[in-house]
Amino acid sequence: MRIVALAGGIGGARFLRGLREAIGPEDEITVIGNTGDDIHLYGLKVCPDLDTLMYTLGGGIHEEQGWGRADETWSIKAEMKEYGIGPEWFGLGDRDFATHLVRSQMLTAGYTLSQVTEALCVRWKPGVRLLPMSDDRVETHVRITDENGTRAVHFQEYWVRLHAAVDAEAIIPVGADTAKPAPGVLEAVAAADVILLPPSNPVVSIGTILAVPGIRAALTAAPAPVVGLSPIIGGAPVRGMADKVLAAVGVEATAAAVALDYGSELLDGWLVDTADEAAVAAVEADGIACRAVPLLMTDVAATAEMARAALTLAEQVRA
Ligand code: GDP
Ligand code: CA
């Protein structure tokens, strides 16, 4: 079985760790990772979601935090601060710095982001084929209004520095409109037996991937069933600011509203948490097969159960 999954950072990575447990030795997983969170810092290219996927699946993640390296130290950041060089709000540890140095060195030498990601994965052995959504630069910006007026800030600034405390007025995936899917992305989608949307952020993770011209069309045209899992439980994101960015695109933060926003053209199946059992009828009324199962990724075993439920639903909706 060839499984393709679109993924952001923490929600995507944790789900994939469960999916990897749920499949057989012959099955393979291709992950299309969001690069809209990418940011250039200290002259280095940082790819937060690709790195969270790589570190989580490769055993190097800081478990509690969900991002960055385990056993991290912070000497470089402290030295940069002595020079008065920030940003102080972005956490780049010493071990993490090495990843960004390797990536930036290879990009400067002329390799593409796909090639760099493949090279980094030689070390991390994530057990999946990890593809960036695009080799072209895409950076999500968020329009906000605060005491400095109305302006767009980088998504990382919105989330990490401002903690999503101000309302997001619009989400702009800068560069997405002219970006091309990375090599292998459209081919993997077309050849997939199952396509999964993990419980990643529907706007700034999955939404950004779908904003790359050709990717949404490839998913809707693919013969494989597309099954998603809700990142919203009981009317709130399990973690993060999905409610803020959903509001910016005019979508209610409920499991049903997110499914209807993806739409029945894209989604064949949708899993909601048992707490949202009442949403099943509304989703099915829109032509999307829906089941309520436990969706909290408390550990790998519970997450593998979620992955099995998604694969089972995919079999049921397969035309
Ligand atoms: P990010 O890039 O690090 O923000 O990660 P993703 O976009 O991949 O995932 C973020 C989403 O994961 C958030 O909207 C959360 O609500 C969701 N999430 C986190 N933990 C869980 C969980 O245990 N269950 C479910 N259903 N969603 C979760
Ligand atoms: Ca992210």
Side-chain angles (χ1 to χ4, degrees):
M1 187 167 49
R2 283 160 299 188
I3 304 169
V4 168
L6 276 47
I10 301 178
R14 291 192 174 161
F15 174 75
L16 290 163
R17 201 157 52 176
L19 176 64
R20 219 174 36 182
E21 285 293 306
I23 63 172
E26 304 292 298
D27 302 331
E28 48 189 62
I29 304 170
T30 298
V31 177
I32 302 169
N34 171 43
T35 57
D37 289 15
D38 293 7
I39 186 166
H40 291 76
L41 294 171
Y42 312 102
L44 304 176
K45 184 166 175 80
V46 180
C47 301
D49 285 359
L50 293 181
D51 289 346
T52 291
L53 290 162
M54 206 165 68
Y55 295 158
T56 303
L57 296 169
I61 197 77
H62 185 302
E63 278 297 333
E64 295 71 41
Q65 208 166 249
W67 56 270
R69 293 290 313 279
D71 305 318
E72 188 57 283
T73 56
W74 301 88
S75 299
I76 301 177
K77 197 173 172 183
E79 286 295 310
M80 295 305 286
K81 191 179 172 191
E82 293 300 325
Y83 286 110
I85 303 295
E88 271 184 52
W89 49 266
F90 202 85
L92 278 193
D94 301 333
R95 289 168 185 263
D96 209 10
F97 254 107
T99 303
H100 312 313
L101 284 169
V102 174
R103 174 183 292 123
S104 304
Q105 172 173 280
M106 286 188 71
L107 289 170
T108 304
Y111 291 97
T112 63
L113 185 60
S114 316
Q115 292 170 324
V116 175
T117 304
E118 193 179 341
L120 293 170
C121 285
V122 169
R123 171 181 178 193
W124 290 104
K125 300 180 179 49
V128 302
R129 179 167 168 240
L130 178 59
L131 304 176
M133 67 188 195
S134 177
D135 283 338
D136 301 320
R137 182 170 171 174
V138 178
E139 289 185 14
T140 301
H141 284 64
V142 181
R143 196 181 80 210
I144 60 165
T145 301
D146 61 10
E147 63 279 7
N148 299 315
T150 296
R151 62 209 165 92
V153 296
H154 191 288
F155 171 73
Q156 296 299 345
E157 187 174 354
Y158 180 71
W159 173 226
V160 184
R161 186 169 84 84
L162 302 172
H163 306 291
V166 295
D167 287 343
E169 298 167 352
I171 310 296
I172 311 108
V174 179
D177 53 340
T178 56
K180 289 177 296 301
V185 165
L186 299 181
E187 294 80 354
V189 170
D193 297 305
V194 178
I195 300 169
L196 298 178
L197 306 186
S200 283
N201 189 305
V203 182
V204 293
S205 293
I206 307 278
T208 309
I209 301 171
L210 294 173
V212 175
I215 296 187
R216 179 185 278 271
L219 259 73
T220 54
V226 179
V227 171
L229 298 92
S230 179
I232 305 291
I233 297 183
V238 178
R239 144 175 211 157
M241 46 44 225
D243 48 339
K244 292 280 188 168
V245 291
L246 280 166
V249 298
V251 177
E252 225 188 315
T254 65
V258 171
L260 302 193
D261 184 52
Y262 279 135
S264 60
E265 207 182 306
L266 180 77
L267 275 187
D268 299 297
W270 185 243
L271 294 181
V272 300
D273 187 76
T274 42
D276 295 312
E277 195 129 32
V280 170
V283 175
E284 295 219 312
D286 220 54
I288 301 165
C290 187
R291 307 281 183 271
V293 297
L295 287 190
L296 275 179
M297 299 188 281
T298 42
D299 55 30
V300 176
T303 312
E305 254 333 287
M306 288 165 52
R308 283 186 202 101
L311 295 173
T312 301
L313 183 54
E315 286 318 310
Q316 290 169 355
V317 298
R318 194 183 294 282

